[in-house]
């Protein structure tokens, strides 16, 4: 089955063609970074207008690169939540039009589930596993039982992990997009230059939750207070120490969940899963707990339509089509295990 995927939830305009849920025939990702760089953040109005301008071109290129013709498309998968409403509407409306024109069904998919599926495009990781979703909008630890059956263990109680990277990068003019800018600066910095505080959410309901607002406040407002003797307050050192603390906050919860539930497999997904230090710390988990660790390749960590087409295949195969009246939603779905 050939599925065309469409992803426009934020600032990546992407269309992909995937065969049988795993074989990527094309995955065109047009990033709007340049459009938003002057504002050091995504401007929703600019994002949706740019998607409107680009979507047809990106679709044509994805189809051409796939080596397929439009009559060979069996179904369409499109991100319909969560994300920026105006941006999601562009992708969904395009998917609906294409579905009518080609006479094939379409299905709206959840962006978070698509990130947790991304790894399957390269590695058939058996379910269940501990899913660690770390992106710009979301942070979530979950028992992933199938492509659409997820039980949430923990989330962030304030900022998302990637959001913290973006805010620190903006504050210190480190570059845009923030996460990858910090990643490269940190490689040249001393992670021990600062000792930033970490949240102590270890009891009851918050055992697997993370929090990033305290770290953000410490870095933005009280930087000097945490500088260790013998180190300088350079951007490289700030980036390295921030990155180390941000990843440690996450790893404490990940390791706790692996031990508590005796997970045999851990899968990461989302933009922050592209982070060099995070990847190296995740790989250490295997030695520490015995759990096997899997990541998507870098291109499949950040937003892309291949993961959308991949997960979409499973819905379409089971005839779980979306109704013509499907609308977008900016909000995160209520997954099981969550109030
Ligand atoms: O998954 P994604 O592309 O979009 C959302 O669904 O949010 O994730 C984007 C986030 C941004 O916050 C970006 O700064 C972060 O992922 N990111 C990184 C890296 N690459 C992207 N954070 C840390 N290190 C990276 N190498
Ligand atoms: Zn994403």
């Amino acid at each position: 089955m050939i599925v065309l995927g469409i992803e426009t939830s934020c600032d990546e305009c992407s269309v992909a063609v995937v065969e049988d849920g795993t074989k990527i025939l094309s995955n065109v990702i047009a990033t709007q970074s340049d459009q938003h760089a002057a504002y050091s953040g995504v401007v929703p109005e600019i994002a949706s207008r740019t998607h409107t301008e680009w979507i047809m071109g990106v679709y044509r290129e994805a189809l051409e690169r796939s080596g397929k013709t439009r009559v060979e498309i069996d179904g369409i998968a499109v991100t319909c939540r969560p994300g920026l409403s105006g941006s999601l509407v562009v992708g969904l409306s395009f998917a609906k039009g294409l579905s009518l024109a080609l006479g094939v069904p379409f299905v709206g998919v959840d962006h978070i589930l698509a990130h947790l599926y991304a790894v399957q495009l390269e590695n058939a990781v058996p379910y269940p596993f501990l899913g660690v979703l770390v992106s710009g909008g979301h942070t979530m630890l979950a028992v992933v039982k199938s492509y659409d059956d997820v039980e949430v263990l923990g989330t962030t109680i304030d900022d998302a992990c990637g959001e913290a990277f973006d805010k620190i990068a903006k504050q210190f003019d480190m570059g845009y997009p923030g996460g990858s800018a910090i990643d490269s600066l940190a490689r040249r910095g001393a992670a021990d230059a600062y000792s930033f505080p970490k949240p102590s959410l270890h009891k009851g309901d918050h055992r697997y939750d993370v929090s990033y607002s305290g770290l953000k406040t410490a870095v933005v407002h009280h930087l000097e207070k945490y500088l260790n003797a013998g180190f300088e307050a350079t951007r490289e050192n700030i980036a390295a120490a921030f990155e180390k603390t941000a990843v440690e906050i996450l790893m404490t919860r990940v390791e706790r969940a692996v031990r508590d539930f005796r997970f045999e497999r851990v899968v990461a997904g989302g933009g922050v899963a592209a982070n060099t230090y995070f990847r190296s710390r995740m790989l250490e988990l295997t030695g520490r707990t015995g759990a096997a660790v899997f990541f998507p390749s870098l291109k499949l960590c950040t937003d892309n339509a291949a993961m959308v087409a991949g997960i979409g295949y499973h819905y379409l195969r089971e005839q779980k089509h979306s109704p013509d009246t499907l609308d977008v939603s900016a909000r995160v779905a209520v997954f099981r295990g969550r109030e």
Side-chain angles (χ1 to χ4, degrees), residues 97-117:
L98 202 58
S99 158
L100 262 186
L102 302 179
V104 298
F106 78 97
V107 63
V109 308
D110 187 290
H111 185 75
I112 291 178
L113 295 182
H115 270 306
L116 290 170
Y117 180 86

Side-chain angles (χ1 to χ4, degrees), residues 2-168:
I2 305 288
V3 177
L4 183 106
I6 300 168
E7 161 62 45
T8 62
S9 68
C10 191
D11 61 340
E12 252 75 55
C13 186
S14 179
V15 177
V17 180
V18 174
E19 187 169 358
D20 295 338
T22 51
K23 190 172 174 207
I24 302 175
L25 303 180
S26 67
N27 186 21
V28 177
I29 305 166
T31 180
Q32 301 182 3
S33 299
D34 289 349
Q35 274 67 18
H36 302 282
Y39 310 92
S40 298
V42 178
V43 183
E45 167 93 13
I46 295 176
S48 47
R49 285 170 180 270
T50 308
H51 285 307
T52 305
E53 212 179 301
W54 290 2
I55 189 82
M56 288 180 79
V58 173
Y59 159 74
R60 285 205 181 96
E61 194 173 329
L63 200 58
E64 193 182 316
R65 285 197 206 171
S66 74
K68 299 284 175 191
T69 59
R70 57 193 184 136
V71 294
E72 291 173 275
I73 296 172
D74 298 304
I76 297 160
V78 57
T79 306
C80 66
R81 67 160 190 270
L84 301 170
S85 299
S87 291
L88 289 163
V89 162
V90 178
L92 179 58
S93 303
F94 186 77
K96 287 186 179 186
L98 202 58
S99 158
L100 262 186
L102 302 179
V104 298
F106 78 97
V107 63
V109 308
D110 187 290
H111 185 75
I112 291 178
L113 295 182
H115 270 306
L116 290 170
Y117 180 86
V119 77
Q120 307 288 345
L121 293 161
E122 299 167 316
N123 255 307
V125 183
Y127 296 98
F129 52 75
L130 173 66
V132 181
L133 170 86
V134 273
S135 70
H138 316 280
T139 307
M140 182 193 276
L141 264 61
V143 189
V144 183
K145 298 177 180 174
S146 85
Y147 72 94
D148 73 339
D149 186 1
V150 163
E151 190 181 327
V152 178
L153 297 176
T155 60
T156 176
I157 61 166
D158 39 58
D159 293 352
C161 186
E163 192 181 350
F165 274 82
D166 296 336
K167 284 178 180 168
I168 299 302

Side-chain angles (χ1 to χ4, degrees), residues 167-295:
K167 284 178 180 168
I168 299 302
K170 183 174 182 176
Q171 174 75 19
F172 297 99
D173 250 335
M174 290 171 167
Y176 181 83
S180 45
I182 289 187
D183 196 337
S184 29
L185 275 175
R187 306 282 70 74
R188 289 176 270 126
D192 294 332
Y194 291 89
S195 300
F196 293 122
K198 291 183 211 134
S200 56
L201 298 160
H202 49 77
K203 292 198 203 95
D205 285 353
H206 289 305
R207 231 178 124 67
Y208 311 108
D209 284 338
V210 295
S211 160
Y212 282 106
S213 76
L215 174 60
K216 182 186 69 190
T217 306
V219 180
V220 171
H221 299 293
H222 309 290
L223 196 57
E224 290 310 319
K225 210 163 106 185
Y226 300 104
L227 184 65
N228 291 326
F231 290 97
E232 274 181 64
T234 63
R235 288 194 309 170
E236 287 79 2
N237 288 352
I238 296 168
F242 159 77
E243 179 192 77
K244 181 178 174 221
T245 315
V247 170
E248 264 169 11
I249 290 173
L250 201 57
M251 290 314 300
T252 314
R253 277 69 177 181
V254 172
E255 187 165 337
R256 188 178 285 160
V258 171
R259 291 188 190 282
D260 287 358
F261 294 87
R262 300 207 166 98
F263 281 107
E264 288 171 21
R265 292 167 295 276
V266 184
V267 166
V272 185
N275 181 266
T276 311
Y277 181 67
F278 173 69
R279 289 171 94 91
S280 73
R281 288 294 302 269
M282 282 286 278
L283 290 174
E284 288 171 14
L285 260 187
T286 305
R288 297 171 61 84
T289 66
V293 175
F294 302 89
F295 296 99

